[in-house]
Amino acid sequence: MCTLIAGIGALGPGTLVVGANRDESPDRPASSPGLLRERPPVVGGRDLVAGGTWLAIREGRFVVALLNRRPVPGGPGSPDDPNDPSSYRSRGLLCLDTAAEGPPADAPHRLDPGTGERHPARRDAALALFARDAYAHCTLVGLDADGEAWAIHAGHGKPPETTVLAPGWHVVTHADPDDPGEPRTAWLKARLREVKAGGVEATLEAVAALLRRHEGDGVPGVCLHRDRFPTVSSTLLALGAVETPRYLHAAGPPCVTPYADVSSLLDS
């Protein structure tokens, strides 16, 4: 997945809005959203090559998203990487494991004995997965409708780096969260400042309109039409303290593919 929009508290306290475009080889097969794990219930699309996912929703409230990043020189997956590429575990499986194997929402946070800083339990669990296996360059994002939100940058030849995501709108692509030097991120952040507080449907449509935008007239492409890694699907979510949680999925580029309502999966 290459574009993630997250509105933490965008519809009021305890709410979460997500919009995401997946950019991938059209030759890499994937299934439409379904039940990925039964206990706890985790839903999302499945990569049929490695078995993982690019976006998972646990118990209708906790979202985990995986965004690949370009290899750094000498790092995992780069042309001069001395390691066997098969030594790196699938990043899609990392995304799925973070959603399925992490602690419950009410797990106590850990306090850093030196700084007193709160460490969210699910973020610590994700960091433990990075310590257990090696992965290529990526950003792993965790978004909880109850407030916990973070991004972990890893696979770049250094220890994982964590960013806490405060309430508000955020954008993650193939760079750091909210990176003003990344053109797509900067353009989306500017447009999101114009999104007015409203109902679920109006907010999701505003996000969908951004996900449909093509390159041109100074606008960096969000819905990508190219030979290598075009946009192959899109997702919209409204979760948490909303009257009716929503899960919408377009099984193709959202500029030409209607979003299907798969919200019933949130009741799995």
Side-chain angles (χ1 to χ4, degrees), residues 38-63:
E38 290 187 1
R39 295 183 181 178
V42 177
V43 299
R46 188 185 296 275
D47 168 34
L48 298 179
V49 175
T53 186
W54 55 97
L55 188 147
I57 306 108
R58 172 175 168 169
E59 298 172 311
R61 299 186 68 85
F62 179 52
V63 178

Side-chain angles (χ1 to χ4, degrees), residues 189-236:
K189 285 282 288 184
R191 302 289 83 73
L192 287 164
R193 285 193 287 269
E194 301 169 1
V195 174
K196 306 300 182 183
V200 169
E201 300 305 323
T203 302
L204 289 181
E205 180 50 41
V207 173
L210 297 176
L211 295 175
R212 296 185 184 112
R213 288 300 298 262
H214 294 157
E215 182 177 6
D217 298 326
V219 176
V222 182
C223 184
L224 306 179
H225 294 258
R226 57 191 183 186
D227 292 334
R228 184 174 171 80
F229 300 119
T231 299
V232 298
S233 64
S234 186
T235 298
L236 296 169

Side-chain angles (χ1 to χ4, degrees), residues 96 149 154 160 165:
L96 178 55
L165 302 178

Side-chain angles (χ1 to χ4, degrees), residues 89-118:
R89 191 165 182 264
S90 160
R91 290 167 288 188
L93 290 174
L94 166 69
C95 183
L96 178 55
D97 288 349
T98 301
E101 297 181 9
D106 58 357
H109 293 353
R110 180 176 64 85
L111 291 180
D112 187 304
T115 65
E117 179 185 1
R118 291 170 71 250

Side-chain angles (χ1 to χ4, degrees), residues 32 34 123 163:
S32 297
R123 187 184 71 182
T163 301

